[in-house]
Amino acid sequence: MRRSIEELRTFYGDPKGALVRRILSSRLSDAWGTADGCDVLGLGYATPFLDQFSSARRVVAAMPGGQGAEAWTASGRNRTTLVNDRALPFPSGLFDRVLLVHAIEEADDAQALLNEVSRVLSPTGRVIVVCAARGGLWARTEATPFGHGRPFSRKQIEGLIRHCGLEPRAWSQALYVPPWRPMLAFSDGIEQFGRLFAPGTAGVILMEAGRLTYARPKVRSGLSVLSPAPALKPVPSLSVPRVASASAAQTAAAAAA
């Protein structure tokens, strides 16, 4: 059962919610900037983080039926809609950016939800999944929305993303500060300390993904093909190295000769 829209709105109106909004908004800004000219979808309860995409062409806040929806009209281009998270009411390939916050933890079927996200994502689009971390303190208290539903590990999120045909590109963690009011004033120092010395205590995982791309570039002698830098920092997502077959190696050697 999902948290109600009233509970979520109340949380983001108190000091703990304001801290979550500030820290996560900074990470999202590093990844996507202001989403210039993009169509952006926020799924779950993402409205606290959508106002920063001020240069987007259109922003839609889609809220699951079990949660409820709130009016969100920061500008005339923005819309709110109530959705079935197993059958999103959007055409395929519509959105350039999809942000999921408080979306998969309490979903009846997280994989079905991500399958729908993959369907509505444009060929060059990007997704960021924000979810409660299994080992963090925020998942262990019911005083915050991150303490309800199912928390995830990094490997579990990567598995769900790959299963829906997307590829993890980068990841990050946040909310090392415990969800206790007396500690909030020291949040900046605790975030820096936790990132360096206690990464397993993070309360939230952010995972960015995009579509798999296949290409056959012509590589000239003395040139290398470089991969783009990950959008989220500080740690890029792990990638599985390709292993060339014997026949492929022989073909490459013959072409080089």
Side-chain angles (χ1 to χ4, degrees):
M1 180 178 178
R2 288 187 177 275
R3 298 302 91 191
S4 70
I5 194 71
E6 290 81 10
E7 291 177 271
L8 292 165
R9 186 189 298 115
T10 299
F11 171 75
Y12 280 100
D14 73 15
K16 283 184 287 191
L19 175 69
V20 171
R21 180 173 183 171
R22 178 173 66 82
I23 291 176
L24 296 187
S25 292
S26 176
R27 299 297 179 88
L28 295 171
S29 179
D30 289 342
W32 290 352
T34 56
D36 297 359
C38 292
D39 291 323
V40 179
L41 172 65
L43 186 57
Y45 189 70
T47 50
F49 312 99
L50 294 179
D51 286 338
Q52 68 192 70
F53 302 126
S54 57
S55 297
R57 179 170 54 187
R58 171 173 50 191
V59 182
V60 176
M63 303 186 185
Q67 166 189 294
E70 65 179 359
W72 178 70
T73 55
S75 76
R77 297 169 298 169
N78 301 338
R79 297 290 184 270
T80 300
T81 182
L82 202 63
V83 300
N84 176 353
D85 55 17
R86 296 191 184 194
L88 298 179
F90 309 113
S92 299
L94 177 61
F95 294 101
D96 306 295
R97 301 287 185 269
V98 181
L99 173 64
L100 290 86
V101 184
H102 304 304
I104 66 171
E105 295 98 324
E106 296 182 67
D108 292 335
D109 189 336
Q111 189 64 71
L113 171 58
L114 286 175
N115 288 345
E116 278 294 281
V117 168
S118 177
R119 180 184 66 79
V120 302
L121 185 67
S122 70
T124 59
R126 288 149 64 184
V127 175
I128 291 181
V129 179
V130 180
C131 65
R134 179 171 293 281
L137 293 174
W138 289 75
R140 302 180 188 183
T141 173
E142 295 185 1
T144 82
F146 298 103
H148 297 270
R150 175 189 176 188
F152 291 86
S153 68
R154 176 189 169 188
K155 288 186 177 180
Q156 287 173 331
I157 293 298
E158 286 186 342
L160 289 171
I161 287 173
R162 288 195 168 100
H163 194 72
C164 70
L166 302 177
E167 181 66 16
R169 299 288 179 80
W171 74 290
S172 186
Q173 298 181 126
L175 296 186
Y176 295 92
V177 59
W180 308 324
R181 191 178 294 268
M183 304 295 290
L184 301 185
F186 309 101
S187 60
D188 291 340
I190 295 174
E191 288 293 303
Q192 293 179 11
F193 179 88
R195 189 162 53 247
L196 294 174
F197 301 108
T201 63
V204 168
I205 296 172
L206 300 90
M207 182 78 67
E208 184 179 53
R211 293 202 179 281
L212 288 167
T213 56
Y214 301 93
R216 298 177 179 272
K218 295 181 179 179
V219 181
R220 299 179 181 178
S221 177
L223 299 179
S224 300
V225 177
L226 301 179
S227 299
L232 290 179
K233 296 181 179 180
V235 185
S237 179
L238 295 177
S239 59
V240 180
R242 299 180 182 177
V243 180
S245 63
S247 60
Q250 292 170 359
T251 302

